[in-house]
Amino acid sequence: MAFTPNEFYTFALSLQRELLGDCAALRSSISRAYYGAFITARDHYGVTSRGSDGHEQVLKAMRANAQGQMIADNLQHLKNLRQRADYEPLINLTVNDTQKAISHSKKVLQTLGKLPVKPVAIVAPPSSTAPK
């Protein structure tokens, strides 16, 4: 099945909307929001580096012009949130942090003309009363 990176943004939105009290969902939402924006920007700017160097190369490529600088600032804020979410489990993250991540991701995707247009599907969580 083909996949476009901006679908991470859509998934981040669904996590944020459905699982607000779930710490893992909040952290995953931040991470997915970042990767949706990052991979889209990486592909847009033609950066082929992977790994940690790839992240820095994308930011460097973006900062080469005025529009890219604004996108880079949003992506950098998003990256900082993602690093806290992924690597600092003892730090409390809030719904506000997730909202910031979604906002930064949306700005990057909008500027690149890649914001998904399909609505977020609302999926009910599995029932805890399944037969044993």
Side-chain angles (χ1 to χ4, degrees):
M1 174 185 286
F3 178 78
T4 57
N6 61 6
E7 291 178 60
F8 279 138
Y9 170 81
T10 303
F11 184 61
L13 276 173
S14 69
L15 283 172
Q16 180 207 24
R17 290 179 180 165
E18 294 302 310
L19 303 168
L20 295 178
D22 184 330
C23 186
L26 291 176
R27 289 173 182 275
S28 295
S29 178
I30 292 168
S31 185
R32 297 302 87 195
Y34 171 74
Y35 279 108
F38 165 72
I39 294 171
T40 300
R42 181 194 70 197
D43 294 349
H44 179 83
Y45 284 93
V47 175
T48 58
S49 298
R50 298 293 192 257
S52 61
D53 184 56
H55 297 263
E56 292 308 313
Q57 291 301 317
V58 169
L59 290 167
K60 183 178 177 180
M62 296 167 101
R63 290 187 173 118
N65 64 59
Q67 181 188 34
Q69 180 63 47
M70 186 276 300
I71 302 170
D73 291 345
N74 278 290
L75 192 62
Q76 183 65 60
H77 289 299
L78 190 50
K79 181 182 177 191
N80 294 342
L81 283 167
R82 197 266 313 166
Q83 288 175 325
R84 288 178 59 212
D86 288 351
Y87 301 121
E88 299 181 30
L90 299 180
I91 291 178
N92 285 329
L93 294 172
T94 66
V95 172
N96 187 45
D97 293 315
T98 304
Q99 290 168 338
K100 286 179 191 175
I102 296 288
S103 176
H104 288 303
S105 185
K106 182 178 181 179
K107 288 175 188 173
V108 171
L109 294 170
Q110 277 180 326
T111 305
L112 296 176
K114 301 289 186 178
L115 189 66
V117 293
K118 66 181 179 180
V120 175
I122 306 300
V123 179
S127 173
S128 61
T129 59
K132 294 181 183 181

